[in-house]
Amino acid sequence: MLLGDWAVLLVAAAAAGWVDAVVGGGGLIILPTLLLVAPGIAPQTALGTNKMAALAGTATAVLTFARKVPMQWKVLVPGGVIAAITAACGAAAVSLIDRELFIPMVMVVLVGVAIFVTLRPKVGLTMATHPPTRRKVILVVALASGLIGLYDGLLGPGTGTFLIITFATLLGTEFVRAAAMAKVVNCGSNVGALLYLGATGHVLWGLGAGMAVANIAGAVVGSRMALAKGAGFVRVVLLVVVVVMVVRLGWQQFA
């Protein structure tokens, strides 16, 4: 690739790291950019290279959030392991699934998320008055990790967003803490998908390493901004990203 192509991809990776750290959805920045800059790249290779960059960013976001946000490691780490396993299964099943069927479904879910967050302005802005029981936390994290982890391996866009909404809605968690929890699970799903795609030769390791560095820089800035500006800021960014994802997927599906 030319120097200009590298510059475009590194900027895209940094922007994706920022978005991912705040609300998720960074894959919708990196994947289209990869396919545009390198039109001959196989979709699986684009996905695998993206996972390498995304893993670096999510791991960095986890470390940044963990310094300020209480983390239930005994629940979240097993959740990350579950997500890794199901994401690997999803990545293995990509060639067997008609991905075109998923895009309209994802768009419907995202529109529902936008409507829900708009109509329920208090969701994610404060912690629930009555914290959920440990059993409920374990159940929600396990189910979200398994189902959304599988989706991450199959398709991917909006994984972090879906996790944040799930934790904020079902556990009464404010958005910043939900984002911190989501990063742990998303880190696991990235590991699982990357291991499978790397083992099957679908990762450009040199390009992925360069994009990983840029993604880390964006993740540091994004997670620090989320911590500094609070749940209201995350809510606004969440709505903006969801709208952009719907438009982007709609263009991809119907244009």
Side-chain angles (χ1 to χ4, degrees), residues 76-211:
L76 292 173
V77 171
V81 173
I82 293 172
I85 295 170
T86 57
C89 293
V94 164
S95 61
L96 306 176
I97 302 296
D98 183 1
R99 290 165 62 118
E100 294 298 317
L101 296 177
F102 280 87
I103 293 178
M105 293 170 60
V106 174
M107 290 176 63
V108 170
V109 173
L110 287 172
V111 170
V113 167
I115 293 173
F116 179 83
V117 174
T118 301
L119 297 180
R120 298 285 297 276
K122 293 184 178 181
V123 170
L125 295 186
T126 58
M127 292 291 290
T129 306
H130 302 289
T133 64
R134 181 174 177 80
R135 179 177 296 180
K136 182 177 181 180
V137 173
I138 292 172
L139 180 61
V140 169
V141 170
L143 288 176
S145 299
L147 295 175
I148 300 176
L150 179 66
Y151 164 79
D152 194 18
L154 279 171
L155 194 61
T159 296
T161 307
F162 293 147
L163 287 167
I164 290 172
I165 288 295
T166 298
F167 296 148
T169 303
L170 299 183
L171 299 180
T173 307
E174 51 90 20
F175 280 133
V176 174
R177 185 169 296 191
M181 295 171 64
K183 290 303 103 184
V184 178
V185 176
N186 200 182
C187 193
S189 65
N190 284 333
V191 168
L194 179 62
L195 287 175
Y196 177 82
L197 292 168
T200 53
H202 288 298
V203 178
L204 300 176
W205 297 103
L207 177 60
M211 293 172 65

